[in-house]
């Protein structure tokens, strides 16, 4: 499975090093959020990597919901139960919960389809910051702290009509930002398409922290810094 370079498994325990997490963020998801950098003060494993790990371990279900409960640090020992029900959580060996999962319907354990789904989903995530979030912040005249930019992945869900696909792409169909003081709640709605046909739908929510008044110059510097990190 293509995901194997980005985690280490020992029996039912999984470890994700800062380097593995950073490599996944940059090489697979094209996510250049500084919190995924090795040595970052507020380092955390990308939510997309945990999401991908669940699909790899337990299969792709027709209906799935993911709710993040905490940020995973460098080499935290996560426990993966051998058998799970329709509702389960990913926890560390001390019982701390990081991700809640709900699933219903048929389960696909085909590596080709699972990999196609993961790759399309994380590629969609990688485009969010510059192409979706920044224009949305400008529209609402708010922005995150340019000195400590923090965008947190909160939840996602999806429905698949069937598993008859070998390629997959996600297409944004709606977006919304609700502002509550210094917090912004973002909802992204998308279609799942294969060979030009819609075969499912989904929704993703994110949290923008430390909102302040929008500043064109600072916003451009933030975008430039992000693109510069991507080029490096």
């Amino acid at each position: 499975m293509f995901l194997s370079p980005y985690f280490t498994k020992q029996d039912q325990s999984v470890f994700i090093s800062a380097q593995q997490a950073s490599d996944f963020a940059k090489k697979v998801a094209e996510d250049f959020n500084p919190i995924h950098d090795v040595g970052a003060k507020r380092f955390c494993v990308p939510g997309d990597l945990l999401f991908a790990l669940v699909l790899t371990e337990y299969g792709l279900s027709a209906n799935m919901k993911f709710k993040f409960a905490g940020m995973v640090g460098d080499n935290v020992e996560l426990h993966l139960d051998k058998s799970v029900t329709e509702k389960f959580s990913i926890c560390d060996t001390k019982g701390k919960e990081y991700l809640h999962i709900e699933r219903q319907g048929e389960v696909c354990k085909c590596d080709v389809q699972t990999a196609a789904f993961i790759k399309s989903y994380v590629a969609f995530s990688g485009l969010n910051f510059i192409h979706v979030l920044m224009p949305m912040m400008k529209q609402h005249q708010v922005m995150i702290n340019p000195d400590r930019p923090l965008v947190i992945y909160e939840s996602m869900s999806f429905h698949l009509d069937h598993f008859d696909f070998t390629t997959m792409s996600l297409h944004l169909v709606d977006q919304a930002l609700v502002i509550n003081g210094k917090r912004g709640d973002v909802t992204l709605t998308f279609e799942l398409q294969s060979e030009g046909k819609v075969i499912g739908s989904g929704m993703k929510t994110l949290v923008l922290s430390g909102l302040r008044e929008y500043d064109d110059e600072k916003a451009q510097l933030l975008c430039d810094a992000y693109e510069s990190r991507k080029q490096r």
Side-chain angles (χ1 to χ4, degrees):
M1 187 65 178
F2 87 96
L3 201 66
S4 57
Y6 306 109
F7 68 93
T8 302
K9 187 174 181 182
Q10 297 176 1
D11 298 320
Q12 293 310 116
S13 291
V14 165
F15 304 84
I16 302 171
S17 71
Q19 188 64 61
Q20 287 173 315
S22 181
D23 286 346
F24 176 88
K26 295 170 178 61
K27 296 178 181 179
V28 180
E30 292 197 6
D31 178 355
F32 298 90
N33 190 327
I35 62 174
H36 305 318
D37 287 351
V38 175
K41 186 176 181 180
R42 305 176 72 182
F43 169 83
C44 76
V45 171
D48 283 341
L49 179 50
L50 297 181
F51 160 77
L53 182 61
V54 169
L55 296 190
T56 301
E57 183 72 16
Y58 299 109
L60 175 65
S61 294
N63 299 282
M64 300 191 80
K65 295 181 180 180
F66 298 80
K67 174 75 174 179
F68 288 87
M71 296 191 290
V72 178
D74 179 22
N75 269 318
V76 170
E77 184 176 357
L78 301 174
H79 180 72
L80 301 182
D81 290 331
K82 288 185 178 180
S83 58
V84 293
T85 60
E86 289 187 344
K87 293 184 179 181
F88 63 100
S89 298
I90 302 300
C91 309
D92 63 20
T93 51
K94 296 178 181 178
K96 181 178 178 180
E97 298 178 335
Y98 295 95
L99 179 61
H100 303 300
I101 301 101
E102 295 183 30
R103 59 180 189 165
Q104 294 87 33
E106 185 182 351
V107 179
C108 170
K109 292 196 173 182
C110 170
D111 285 350
V112 172
Q113 290 162 317
T114 302
F117 190 95
I118 291 171
K119 289 176 181 178
S120 64
Y121 182 77
V122 300
F124 174 77
S125 296
L127 296 173
N128 284 339
F129 183 73
I130 295 293
H131 300 285
V132 179
L133 298 183
M134 290 304 298
M136 194 181 299
M137 285 187 272
K138 183 173 184 178
Q139 177 188 348
H140 290 267
Q141 287 297 293
V142 295
M143 64 181 293
I144 55 178
N145 184 347
D147 298 319
R148 296 180 66 187
L150 186 59
V151 178
I152 299 172
Y153 189 5
E154 186 178 54
S155 69
M156 71 88 66
S157 60
F158 64 83
H159 161 76
L160 277 167
D161 296 331
H162 58 76
F163 297 114
D164 184 21
F165 65 88
T166 54
T167 61
M168 174 76 71
S169 58
L170 274 69
H171 299 268
L172 185 67
V173 295
D174 196 16
Q175 58 197 57
L177 170 59
V178 177
I179 301 167
N180 184 10
K182 292 186 176 182
R183 173 187 169 117
D185 293 295
V186 176
T187 302
L188 306 178
T189 306
F190 55 86
E191 289 180 343
L192 300 167
Q193 296 185 12
S194 180
E195 298 180 355
K197 296 181 180 179
V198 177
I199 63 168
S201 60
M203 185 173 69
K204 177 177 181 176
T205 65
L206 306 97
V207 176
L208 308 180
S209 297
L211 291 182
R212 70 268 327 277
E213 186 178 352
Y214 186 84
D215 183 297
D216 264 320
E217 184 178 346
K218 291 180 179 179
Q220 188 58 54
L221 289 173
L222 193 58
C223 291
D224 291 345
Y226 189 89
E227 289 292 349
S228 177
R229 287 169 53 77
K230 183 175 180 178
Q231 294 302 318
R232 291 201 305 270

